Amino acid sequence: MAPPADLRDWIALLEREGELARVATEVDPHLEVTEIVDRTVRSGGPALLFENPKGSDHPLLINQFGTERRMCLALGVDRLDDAAAKLESVLEMQPPQGLAEKVKGLKKLKSIADSMPKKVRSAAHHDVVLRGDDVDLGLIPIQHCWPGDPAPFITLPAVITHDPKTGTRNVGMYRMQKLGPRSTAMHWQLHKDGRMDYLATEGRLEVAVALGLDPVSTYSASAPLPKHIDEFMLAGFLKGEPVELVKGKTVDVDVPANAEIVLEGYVEQGDLTMEGPFGDHTGYYSAAEPFPVFHVNAMTMRADAIYSSIVVGKPPQEDAWLGKATERIFLPAIRMSVPEIVDYDLPVAGAFHNCVLVSIRKSFPGQAQKVMHAIWGLGLLSLTKTVVIVDEHVNVHDYEEVFFRVTANVDPKRDVMLSEGPLDHLDHAPTRQFYGGKMGIDATHKGTDEGTREWPEEIVMSDEVRALVDRRWAEYGLEGATVSSDGRAARLPRPLRQLLRR
């Protein structure tokens, strides 16, 4: 199944799949939408299309990525690992050994070439073109998300800039505090590529912001790609067809032709404003700080444009599944850098940068510590505060099993490593902003070559008995058994009762 072509195609798919609820009642984007969405996300509910948001003629779409199933529908895959497998096949390309391998290699190279963005001449968002004083951000239902926020925030944008020295495009997802009808703050965090483009600029930097994209392009704007890789190329690769771009009306920046709304303008060196506080994905309000002002020169939009948004706050929120998609899609790239890694998990409660669980193929003493240091030197994973390392047979997605290994296998004096280094801009815990302590926990099995006593044998049932019970499971009738909270059998199937009476 191909991913949706644009936001409207995506909404139609969600509706066909029973994953969308239309809300015809007037609902206020000031706090009320957030409370409804928060309850919906936590109950595993559907995407919501508010058709009559208070103060705007434009519908508001939210919670489009709020479950694993919807994230898979967005990417056109059955499992998130299927998207990763596509990327892995390219990363593992080797010099072809024969004709068949050459043909396969050419197909892979063609898929990369076909992923490059394509220029077109027109776009649906050119239906309405507002310039200068006619620009009015009040036309769209920008959310005021939390009581402590000072203003409404655009929370799901694709912000497009270029490196002024190399011309390399960057597409990032940075929150934008509404300052007035024609300006916002631009929250370019310390470690983000948009900030790098801004700092490299002398004078003005042209900026375009696309709102209401197809779900793959929206996801790609959030992806932690290296600076030299185009996010729209990743979107094209994941979609299997190129992202179509059209030239901006007032800026020399190409924007997605399938966008619902596009804001065009600039930021300027030295033109800063206090931005925030903001109820963030950390579960706390991030502090007010000076950030650049984005001046909007033009606003283009479909006549019946749909505005898309997202709520972040105490986990879990909708952004959890954007993070999980990144976790799965970027596993092949991480394995290329650290080949002993088998799998990893970024717990939703860890707010992306607070914890990573890693399983490894361990073959020498100190390898867990080696992987900890590798993680702390790997892209945005370098901001991770806590790294937990387990053996390859441990399922890192089973948090109870991981916690068992931590409590069973760890001598805190020997296996807990304290370090320090860069931390996420939004992390409020360290004494010094951007920098603080890190902890690595080695929960792997230890050998005598690591200075331990002889390690005991782990309890595992014999294969013969497991196979025997596998055959008899249905005969015993255990599929229907339930157990009460006190551990007693609340209902035993008749075959099992008969067995126990023997």
Side-chain angles (χ1 to χ4, degrees):
M1 179 177 63
D6 58 21
L7 189 69
R8 288 153 194 260
D9 190 23
W10 174 223
I11 289 172
L13 173 60
L14 290 172
E15 198 151 34
R16 288 196 304 272
E17 294 290 332
E19 292 282 353
L20 178 79
R22 292 177 178 267
V23 182
T25 306
E26 182 181 80
V27 179
D28 197 339
H30 185 275
L31 303 183
E32 188 180 7
V33 168
T34 298
E35 179 63 16
I36 293 170
V37 171
D38 190 41
R39 297 184 188 195
T40 303
V41 170
R42 293 177 189 280
S43 64
L48 300 172
L49 184 63
F50 293 96
E51 297 179 316
N52 190 24
K54 185 176 180 179
S56 176
D57 294 330
H58 297 281
L60 186 158
L61 175 69
I62 200 163
N63 198 29
Q64 58 182 300
F65 301 112
T67 65
E68 183 175 14
R69 182 169 189 261
R70 289 204 290 281
M71 195 71 240
C72 289
L73 285 172
L75 296 171
V77 295
D78 294 325
R79 303 175 311 125
L80 294 179
D81 283 323
D82 294 340
K86 186 176 181 182
L87 182 63
E88 186 171 27
S89 69
V90 173
L91 291 174
E92 292 182 346
M93 284 183 67
Q94 300 293 331
Q97 302 299 314
L99 180 59
E101 288 299 314
K102 287 180 180 178
V103 171
K104 289 180 182 178
L106 287 172
K107 287 181 178 178
K108 291 177 182 178
L109 290 173
K110 184 177 185 301
S111 72
I112 297 172
D114 290 345
S115 304
M116 299 301 293
K118 181 173 71 173
K119 291 287 292 289
V120 296
R121 293 186 176 182
S122 62
H125 59 79
H126 289 165
D127 288 348
V128 177
V129 179
L130 304 174
R131 301 172 189 256
D133 291 344
D134 292 332
V135 171
D136 185 5
L137 296 176
L139 295 173
I140 54 179
I142 303 173
Q143 276 183 271
H144 191 127
C145 297
W146 298 105
D149 294 352
F153 281 80
I154 296 172
T155 54
L156 201 65
V159 179
I160 307 164
T161 57
H162 290 86
D163 185 317
K165 296 179 180 177
T166 66
T168 303
R169 175 168 42 229
N170 177 67
V171 186
M173 189 172 288
Y174 315 109
R175 72 182 191 231
M176 300 164 60
Q177 178 181 325
K178 181 183 173 186
L179 302 175
R182 293 179 294 281
S183 63
T184 76
M186 188 65 74
H187 190 257
W188 278 329
Q189 296 174 42
L190 182 68
H191 305 102
K192 303 297 185 179
D193 290 339
R195 184 183 180 93
M196 296 302 104
D197 289 348
Y198 171 68
L199 293 177
T201 301
E202 296 181 4
R204 289 188 175 185
L205 175 68
E206 291 189 325
V207 181
V209 178
L211 305 171
L213 298 177
D214 68 273
V216 177
S217 296
T218 297
Y219 161 72
S220 297
S222 75
L225 288 172
K227 189 166 172 44
H228 61 281
I229 297 180
D230 189 342
E231 286 80 4
F232 286 147
M233 185 188 76
L234 173 66
F237 185 75
L238 293 174
K239 290 172 66 171
E241 57 184 28
V243 174
E244 293 186 343
L245 301 177
V246 64
K247 192 176 185 302
K249 289 287 186 180
T250 62
V251 293
D252 189 20
V253 179
D254 294 335
V255 298
N258 70 3
E260 295 284 316
I261 304 163
V262 172
L263 310 178
E264 301 177 3
Y266 66 90
V267 295
E268 196 157 18
Q269 280 293 334
D271 184 9
L272 305 175
T273 189
M274 290 302 291
E275 189 267 5
F278 176 71
D280 224 317
H281 67 262
T282 61
Y284 293 82
Y285 287 96
S286 53
E289 294 182 74
F291 281 96
V293 176
F294 172 50
H295 298 274
V296 185
N297 292 332
M299 181 176 180
T300 67
M301 58 198 298
R302 291 176 181 248
D304 56 348
I306 299 169
Y307 174 71
S308 58
S309 183
I310 192 171
V311 169
V312 297
K314 289 181 182 177
Q317 295 291 344
E318 179 184 351
D319 61 342
W321 288 105
L322 291 170
K324 282 295 173 184
T326 290
E327 172 195 294
R328 295 294 88 201
I329 290 171
F330 284 85
L331 176 59
I334 290 170
R335 283 175 174 158
M336 289 289 289
S337 298
V338 193
E340 60 263 64
I341 289 180
V342 174
D343 202 356
Y344 79 127
D345 183 281
L346 300 170
V348 171
F352 303 108
H353 292 309
N354 288 346
C355 182
V356 59
L357 313 176
V358 185
S359 58
I360 66 169
R361 297 182 193 87
K362 186 177 174 182
S363 56
F364 56 82
Q367 193 166 7
Q369 288 74 16
K370 179 248 186 188
V371 172
M372 293 171 194
H373 287 295
I375 293 290
W376 287 326
L378 199 60
L380 289 181
L381 279 176
S382 65
L383 305 178
T384 304
K385 278 203 291 192
T386 304
V387 180
V388 180
I389 309 290
V390 294
D391 292 296
E392 61 182 299
H393 63 276
V394 177
N395 178 9
V396 290
H397 310 296
D398 183 337
Y399 301 149
E400 189 169 296
E401 182 180 2
V402 172
F403 187 66
F404 162 68
R405 303 292 170 174
V406 169
T407 56
N409 290 349
V410 172
D411 175 348
K413 185 176 181 180
R414 179 194 64 212
D415 299 325
V416 175
M417 181 173 67
L418 297 180
S419 184
E420 57 186 35
L423 295 175
D424 183 29
H425 193 134
L426 302 178
D427 192 343
H428 60 274
T431 303
R432 174 182 166 190
Q433 191 179 22
F434 312 129
Y435 187 88
K438 294 173 179 285
M439 179 170 64
I441 301 174
D442 177 3
T444 62
H445 286 198
K446 311 301 187 301
T448 54
D449 55 356
E450 294 179 276
T452 70
R453 297 174 294 157
E454 186 174 345
W455 203 257
E457 182 181 356
E458 187 173 343
I459 300 170
V460 179
M461 182 51 70
S462 69
D463 291 340
E464 293 80 8
V465 172
R466 289 175 61 86
L468 172 64
V469 174
D470 283 345
R471 293 194 299 272
R472 292 187 176 176
W473 197 247
E475 177 188 339
Y476 291 165
L478 287 171
E479 295 102 325
T482 59
V483 178
S484 65
S485 59
D486 63 3
R488 297 179 181 177
R491 181 176 63 81
L492 291 178
R494 183 178 178 186
L496 184 56
R497 291 200 302 272
Q498 292 173 339
L499 176 72
L500 294 175
R501 283 201 297 266
R502 291 177 187 171

